[in-house]
Amino acid sequence: QTFSWSLAFWEAVVSTQSTGMQTVIEYSDLLDAQPYVDQYPDAAKKQVMSLVAEEMKRFTPPDYLAQLPSLPPSSLSSLAQNEITRISKGTAQMEKLDISRYKVDPPKSTETEEWTKALNNAQAQLEHQRLRSMNLELLQEYGTNMWKVSNTTLEEILASLTKEEESLKKQIESVNIARKTEQEASGSRIQTLEQKWFDLVKKTHEIEAACLTLESEIRNMNAQLPNKPNDIGPKPNDTDTNNSEDNNK
């Protein structure tokens, strides 16, 4: 039972570090598992896991984000927002890239309009190729240094993220060590109190058994008396009679 609580504990508490908030889950205050202290045989673990798996089939998880504030409005462009919506639906396909404008086709007829259209397209393709040539020259002259600067920036970002990761790992380790130390201390105290409880219960049973034995012996002794009293000890009427005789004296 406690083992199932320990499994449910990590699902019961959901922390949001970005907003500094903690989602409160119903009945999470009842979870008192101590995985560092509680010991269970393998057969019990298998049985518990099977029960948990069976319960998870019928379990409806609550809305863990219901207590969090709503997301701010999106700052994306309408084009990007439409693309996200298309991907989320998974139905509509992305339009294929139109490469027809990169072709230099001859005019389809001898009409002036067709020749003008073909000439404009040829001039556009010529300008496009000129820009490509210019970009290649710029890349050849400045590309090496730009790549070096970009790599240096990426290395600095990687070093910063690695440092942050190490810091988080140390925090997690310190939390685990503190949890283990606390559970071991409380586990030792629980074992001591549990043993004390067993000893007190055992002593109580021994006292009850001794009382029953004494009562049985008293009944046997009273049964051997001449007047053979039915009750153990003096009767209320006898006490009142004796008190009246003492008062008369």
Side-chain angles (χ1 to χ4, degrees), residues 24 28 62 172 176 220:
V24 179
S28 61
I172 294 173
N176 291 332
N220 293 333

Side-chain angles (χ1 to χ4, degrees), residues 34-230:
Q34 299 189 106
Y36 290 102
V37 178
D38 298 333
Q39 299 295 331
Y40 304 95
D42 293 337
K45 289 183 179 180
K46 292 180 180 179
Q47 183 180 5
V48 169
M49 292 303 296
S50 63
L51 293 175
V52 172
E54 183 65 25
E55 184 179 355
M56 290 299 293
K57 294 179 181 179
R58 305 186 302 270
F59 175 70
T60 303
D63 187 4
Y64 296 110
L65 305 179
Q67 303 181 35
L68 300 178
S70 58
L71 294 175
S74 175
S75 58
L76 299 175
S77 63
S78 58
L79 181 63
Q81 191 63 40
N82 293 336
E83 185 64 15
I84 292 175
T85 304
R86 181 192 65 79
I87 295 175
S88 62
K89 291 181 179 180
T91 53
Q93 295 183 355
M94 184 177 180
E95 296 182 0
K96 296 181 179 180
L97 183 64
D98 183 14
I99 60 174
S100 60
R101 61 176 186 165
Y102 298 110
K103 296 180 180 180
V104 183
D105 296 328
K108 298 179 181 180
S109 63
T110 57
E111 296 181 0
T112 305
E113 182 179 356
E114 289 293 331
W115 278 91
T116 302
K117 183 178 179 181
L119 179 61
N120 292 335
N121 182 44
Q123 291 176 348
Q125 297 304 320
L126 178 62
E127 182 65 17
H128 174 65
Q129 296 300 327
R130 189 183 70 82
L131 290 177
R132 290 184 62 187
S133 177
M134 185 184 300
N135 288 331
L136 289 174
E137 292 176 0
L138 292 174
L139 178 62
Q140 185 176 5
E141 184 174 357
Y142 303 106
T144 304
N145 293 332
M146 290 301 298
W147 273 111
K148 290 181 179 180
V149 172
S150 177
N151 291 336
T152 302
T153 303
L154 292 176
E155 290 176 356
E156 292 177 354
I157 295 174
L158 177 61
S160 177
L161 294 176
T162 304
K163 184 177 179 180
E164 184 177 359
E165 180 187 10
E166 293 296 330
S167 176
L168 291 175
K169 285 183 178 179
K170 290 181 179 179
Q171 293 179 16
I172 294 173
E173 185 177 1
S174 62
V175 169
N176 291 332
I177 292 175
R179 183 186 293 117
K180 182 177 181 180
T181 303
E182 182 180 358
Q183 290 185 12
E184 288 178 347
S186 61
S188 177
R189 178 171 175 79
I190 289 174
Q191 292 177 359
T192 302
L193 294 175
E194 186 177 8
Q195 185 63 40
K196 185 177 180 181
W197 180 82
F198 279 118
D199 294 340
L200 292 175
V201 170
K202 181 180 178 182
K203 187 179 293 184
T204 301
H205 289 320
E206 291 175 354
I207 294 174
E208 289 179 352
C211 290
L212 292 175
T213 302
L214 289 174
E215 290 177 359
S216 178
E217 292 178 358
I218 291 173
R219 289 191 183 93
N220 293 333
M221 293 174 63
N222 289 334
Q224 297 175 3
L225 295 176
N227 54 359
K228 296 182 180 180
N230 295 326

